[in-house]
Amino acid sequence: MTKTTRDWLDLATGDLKGKPIESLNTETPEGITLKPLYTAEDLPEHAASELPGFAPFTRGVRATMYTGQPWTIRQYAGFSTAEDSNAFYRKNLAAGQKGLSVAFDLATHRGYDSDHPRVTGDVGKAGVAIDSVEDMKILFDGIPLGEMSVSMTMNGAIIPVLAMFIVAGEEQGVERSALTGTVQNDILKEFMVRNTYIYSPEPSMRIVADIIEFTSQEMPKFNSISISGYHMQEAGATLAQELAYTLADGMEYVRAAQSKGLDVDAFAGRLSFFFCIGMNVFMEAAKLRAARAMWSKIMTDFGAKSDRSKMLRTHCQTSGVSLTEQDPYNNVVRTAFEAMAAVLGGTQSLHTNSFDEAIALPTEFSARIARNTQLILAHETGITNVVDPLGGSYYVEKLTADLAEKAWELIAEVEALGGMTKAVEQGLPKMRIEEAAARRQARIDRGEDVIVGVNRFRLADEPQVDILNIDTDKVRAGQVARLNKMRASRDPKAHEAAIAALEQVAKSGKGNLLSAAVDAARARASLGEISDAMERGFGGRHHAVTKVIGGVYEDVYHDDPEYQAIRSRITDYTTDKGRAPHVLVAKMGQDGHDRGAKVIATAFADMGFKVDLTDMFETPAEVTDKAIALGVDVVGVSSLAAGHKSLVPELINRLKDKDRADIQVVVGGVIPEQDYAFLREAGVAEIFGPGSNVLDAANAVLARISGVRRNV
């Protein structure tokens, strides 16, 4: 006899001893209700008729997908100097990697040469330092740019970086028309989450449009933009937010290109996307499927006729924020599951993170495991034998439809404001993402979201992992020497003329910025000089206004006894001292990741601390002056990109020099345990590594301020 859904409901209700079946429902952060069972009744009507390779491409952009050709293994890496990075690339290519993905250091991202005083702690720390064409030539020495696809994650300083890549190709004997690869060139998400912007939104959008125009005319094999949701999820966005805001960014870039008079089918086929893949395996696969279907409709509405224009092609990277400092070898397993989710979702290329990236930059040992994760997935699991193995799954098909529905709602909200540029200027997406991040952290702290080895199944003794240390002073000295040599050997008249021409193009709004920058790079203008010329033409750098959102932790924690206990202690302190304990949350150096800083600021403010937040990209001198002017008790430094060993001691010394050693300094973020002794010796009062419980951190900071220690 055929069993029906009604039969199952009767049986399940019996298992639940009379409880309603709805008691097994769960709700995702996206607001999607998940049932314990999905059947054919849940399949969207269109699901049965969709096939890979045909619009709307839900099941994949190619008919054969991985059965014809596996995804591209594209490991994202950059190691301090062009020489070190080049050696790493060549070794990985020999070991089976098929494309290059370049990680630049933060000084490069922010358009500063390595000799600029604001980047002393950042040179070579989180990627390769590139100051000139000479660096770019070394980076790709022995790597034929006419044959190798190169992906470059660059946004703020995209004009000088791409110009130098083009000139490096020329001097390798490769015409720009033969260059293949992708640049990120996605500035809107920088204003939302990543923050490695240089110029204001309007001139930044002009840069995007000029690059699309130049590449469509001069570089037919090159993808001019990789529209990125990756950093949104890393900053705390829900998957619906990542999906919606990424596609809304794409819509804005299409409009920018059309404003240059370009026909949509002339450039849309070279737009690509970049998504983060976290631990929710089926939701992540559904996200990529939904993205393809939604983009097909979006591009059809923009008037695209070519199927290629309607295809959403994407690179994916496993999540960095899912990696844990605690019990770090668990991260190998996490990355493997995330890689599988990306492949089940139909990604075109993939980067797998190394297990030690919650602690420090990856070592050669950890990077090899990350690369081999993909090789094992491709060659040992059988996952490439069938096109879209999840197609027709009751659950995944319904999840795909539900996620798309939530994303369309968010896109409609952005469009109602006049598009993503207007929404970014008003701060809407940033606020939504910051709220989601705070709620996520609160769920982790309460144990509602289980992180194995962090808030459950914690090891008594943590293994120490070998980490990669970068000698910033040595790297910087080498970069400065090469810069000085180049400046001394170039033709000063040609250099000055090219820089003046670039500045005029930026100022007048006439001409193409990338074309002018290629001339400047060929004349051996440095990255910083090209960036400065545009800055003068555009009327200055962009400075974001930092805000602390409130109420999120209070909403989640209002009934939690420990939360109420610390609120009570802060109230008692405030009553006794006549003022609230005062914390300045600081971001120093050129790292733009501010998720941790914003979460701490939000949570501490809800608990009753008086909280101030510095601007992004502060120097130790600026933070010192601000801390003294505000009269704070504690400076809490948020560190992610390994600048803590140089920036934090300088901050402490500056406070001492101004007779304010009473202002205590605490540090949180991606800090290897190997650095703890160094920081404590420098005078750091408390250190909070990745996965630290926010309530525990608040208790420790309050104890430092009040002088009353507690066992927590």
Side-chain angles (χ1 to χ4, degrees):
M1 179 169 46
T2 302
K3 300 299 181 186
T4 65
T5 304
R6 179 70 262 169
D7 294 325
W8 176 82
L9 286 170
D10 291 341
L11 187 62
T13 303
D15 290 345
L16 292 169
K17 296 180 172 58
K19 290 182 183 177
I21 192 64
E22 288 77 17
S23 66
L24 294 178
N25 289 354
T26 56
E27 185 165 301
T28 74
E30 294 76 18
I32 296 172
T33 299
L34 300 181
K35 303 185 300 180
L37 178 72
Y38 288 82
T39 69
E41 297 169 7
D42 296 295
L43 279 176
E45 289 183 10
H46 56 79
S49 62
E50 290 182 345
L51 291 170
F54 293 92
F57 308 106
T58 310
R59 302 193 64 185
V61 294
R62 289 190 292 117
T64 56
M65 285 303 289
Y66 307 139
T67 63
Q69 178 181 325
W71 64 93
T72 299
I73 299 173
R74 191 186 294 276
Q75 290 299 94
Y76 176 57
F79 287 89
S80 61
T81 67
E83 291 90 343
D84 289 344
S85 298
N86 174 263
F88 181 81
Y89 295 155
R90 292 170 74 166
K91 186 177 293 185
N92 273 14
L93 291 171
Q97 186 173 312
K98 298 301 183 183
L100 296 181
S101 185
V102 183
F104 297 94
D105 75 350
L106 292 168
T108 304
H109 272 288
R110 293 273 291 145
Y112 293 116
D113 286 334
S114 295
D115 58 357
H116 196 284
R118 296 194 76 89
V119 299
T120 54
D122 293 304
V123 176
K125 271 292 186 184
V128 60
I130 297 293
D131 292 317
S132 69
V133 170
E134 301 305 324
D135 290 333
M136 195 70 79
K137 288 170 66 177
I138 294 168
L139 184 66
F140 297 112
D141 182 44
I143 298 172
L145 293 179
E147 302 171 19
M148 183 59 58
S149 173
V150 176
S151 173
M152 293 184 287
T153 301
M154 179 53 63
N155 300 282
I158 182 61
I159 287 285
V161 165
L162 184 51
M164 290 170 183
F165 176 72
I166 292 168
V167 174
E170 287 178 5
E171 298 186 8
Q172 206 184 77
V174 180
E175 294 291 331
R176 65 186 64 166
S177 60
L179 294 172
T180 61
T182 303
V183 285
Q184 194 161 101
N185 191 28
D186 175 7
I187 200 62
L188 286 172
K189 70 97 172 44
E190 298 296 322
F191 295 110
M192 279 186 260
V193 291
R194 181 65 180 85
N195 298 313
T196 55
Y197 46 71
I198 301 176
Y199 315 108
S200 297
E202 188 174 338
S204 294
M205 286 300 292
R206 181 189 165 196
I207 289 172
V208 172
D210 277 11
I211 290 171
I212 293 174
E213 178 186 50
F214 183 95
T215 53
S216 68
Q217 296 170 355
E218 304 280 344
M219 303 170 70
K221 297 181 179 180
F222 205 83
N223 296 321
S224 55
I225 189 167
S226 174
I227 305 155
S228 173
Y230 183 86
H231 300 94
M232 297 181 200
Q233 189 180 145
E234 291 292 273
T238 67
L239 269 64
Q241 289 171 341
E242 180 192 5
L243 175 58
Y245 295 151
T246 304
L247 298 186
D249 282 352
M251 295 164 69
E252 199 78 341
Y253 296 135
V254 170
R255 294 185 183 113
Q258 288 180 322
S259 74
K260 304 287 288 187
L262 296 173
D263 178 80
V264 65
D265 285 319
F267 65 85
R270 288 190 299 278
L271 302 180
S272 66
F273 288 79
F274 174 30
F275 285 104
C276 181
I277 304 295
M279 283 298 291
N280 192 332
V281 171
F282 295 108
M283 182 79 84
E284 290 289 3
K287 180 183 72 182
L288 298 186
R289 303 173 95 253
R292 287 191 293 270
M294 293 174 71
W295 188 246
S296 179
K297 181 183 186 316
I298 287 168
M299 294 309 294
T300 300
D301 291 345
F302 270 114
K305 301 293 190 297
S306 166
D307 270 356
R308 181 170 171 77
S309 298
K310 301 175 186 179
M311 293 178 183
L312 182 146
R313 291 164 296 277
T314 188
H315 172 69
C316 290
Q317 181 174 340
T318 59
S319 174
V321 78
S322 71
L323 304 178
T324 66
E325 178 191 40
Q326 298 86 352
D327 209 355
Y329 293 107
N330 288 340
N331 296 332
V332 176
V333 181
R334 292 187 176 101
T335 294
F337 282 132
E338 290 169 350
M340 181 181 68
V343 170
L344 289 174
T347 189
Q348 275 61 65
S349 64
L350 180 62
H351 166 91
T352 34
N353 285 333
S354 300
F355 73 85
D356 51 357
E357 289 187 55
I359 305 168
L361 296 172
T363 63
E364 189 171 326
F365 169 75
S366 65
R368 179 175 177 272
I369 293 174
R371 184 189 66 251
N372 286 352
T373 298
Q374 294 197 52
L375 292 172
I376 291 167
L377 192 60
H379 295 287
E380 297 187 28
T381 64
I383 209 166
T384 60
N385 294 338
V386 176
V387 179
D388 186 28
L390 293 184
S393 159
Y394 304 143
Y395 173 46
V396 172
E397 295 288 4
K398 182 63 166 63
L399 199 54
T400 300
D402 287 348
L403 195 53
E405 182 181 352
K406 293 294 182 182
W408 282 126
E409 292 172 3
L410 291 170
I411 289 174
E413 182 180 45
V414 168
E415 290 293 287
L417 294 175
M420 189 53 96
T421 302
K422 296 293 185 186
V424 163
E425 289 173 347
Q426 295 180 40
L428 174 74
K430 190 174 186 67
M431 179 188 71
R432 292 264 188 267
I433 291 171
E434 288 174 1
E435 288 177 353
R439 291 186 184 279
R440 161 75 168 157
Q441 186 60 49
R443 292 195 305 273
I444 292 171
D445 288 347
R446 285 172 63 91
E448 295 168 3
D449 288 1
V450 175
I451 310 296
V452 173
V454 177
N455 62 2
R456 200 179 297 181
F457 313 112
R458 185 81 183 255
L459 283 179
D461 296 307
E462 295 284 348
Q464 192 167 90
V465 175
D466 292 335
I467 64 169
L468 179 68
N469 283 301
I470 303 294
D471 187 341
T472 303
D473 293 338
K474 181 180 178 181
V475 175
R476 189 167 186 262
Q479 290 298 122
V480 171
R482 189 147 59 216
L483 264 173
N484 290 338
K485 182 180 178 181
M486 182 195 73
R487 288 169 179 158
S489 62
R490 69 192 177 193
D491 180 339
K493 289 185 178 180
H495 166 258
E496 289 166 12
I499 284 293
L502 174 60
E503 183 176 341
Q504 182 58 29
V505 170
K507 186 175 183 179
S508 67
K510 298 177 182 178
N512 187 284
L513 290 162
L514 180 55
S515 179
V518 168
D519 293 338
R522 195 181 291 116
R524 288 327 192 244
S526 70
L527 176 130
E529 290 164 346
I530 292 173
S531 297
D532 289 348
M534 292 194 296
E535 183 179 333
R536 293 190 296 271
F538 293 148
R541 278 187 172 246
H542 177 68
H543 295 281
V545 177
T546 57
K547 298 178 182 178
V548 179
I549 61 173
V552 174
Y553 257 71
E554 176 66 26
D555 182 46
V556 176
Y557 262 95
H558 65 275
D559 60 349
D560 184 90
E562 183 59 28
Y563 177 77
Q564 291 303 329
I566 190 168
R567 278 185 59 89
S568 177
R569 287 191 290 276
I570 291 172
T571 298
D572 291 344
Y573 179 94
T574 302
T575 302
D576 182 50
K577 302 294 183 181
R579 63 175 184 84
H582 194 173
V583 177
L584 175 64
V585 179
K587 284 292 297 181
M588 295 191 295
Q590 298 304 305
D591 171 45
H593 292 95
D594 61 351
R595 170 182 178 156
K598 291 291 183 66
V599 166
I600 289 294
T602 296
F604 275 42
D606 281 359
M607 292 176 210
F609 286 94
K610 181 178 180 181
V611 178
D612 283 288
L613 192 61
T614 70
D615 291 335
M616 300 293 294
F617 315 119
E618 298 273 65
T619 65
E622 290 165 339
V623 173
T624 298
D625 291 343
K626 190 165 291 185
I628 292 171
L630 291 169
V632 304
D633 300 300
V634 168
V635 176
V637 177
S638 175
S639 176
L640 184 119
H644 52 268
K645 290 184 73 173
S646 56
L647 298 172
V648 172
E650 183 181 346
L651 170 65
I652 292 170
N653 289 332
R654 286 181 177 274
L655 287 168
K656 289 178 181 176
D657 290 343
K658 296 202 172 186
D659 295 323
R660 290 306 310 269
D662 59 301
I663 297 177
Q664 299 183 75
V665 175
V666 302
V667 183
V670 179
I671 303 166
E673 190 172 351
Q674 291 91 324
D675 292 350
Y676 284 17
F678 171 86
L679 291 174
R680 289 185 176 119
E681 183 70 23
V684 172
E686 298 283 351
I687 301 169
F688 307 106
S692 295
N693 183 286
V694 173
L695 291 182
D696 290 347
N699 276 310
V701 170
L702 181 61
R704 286 286 178 178
I705 294 171
S706 65
V708 178
R709 306 294 292 172
R710 295 179 66 251
N711 293 321
V712 294

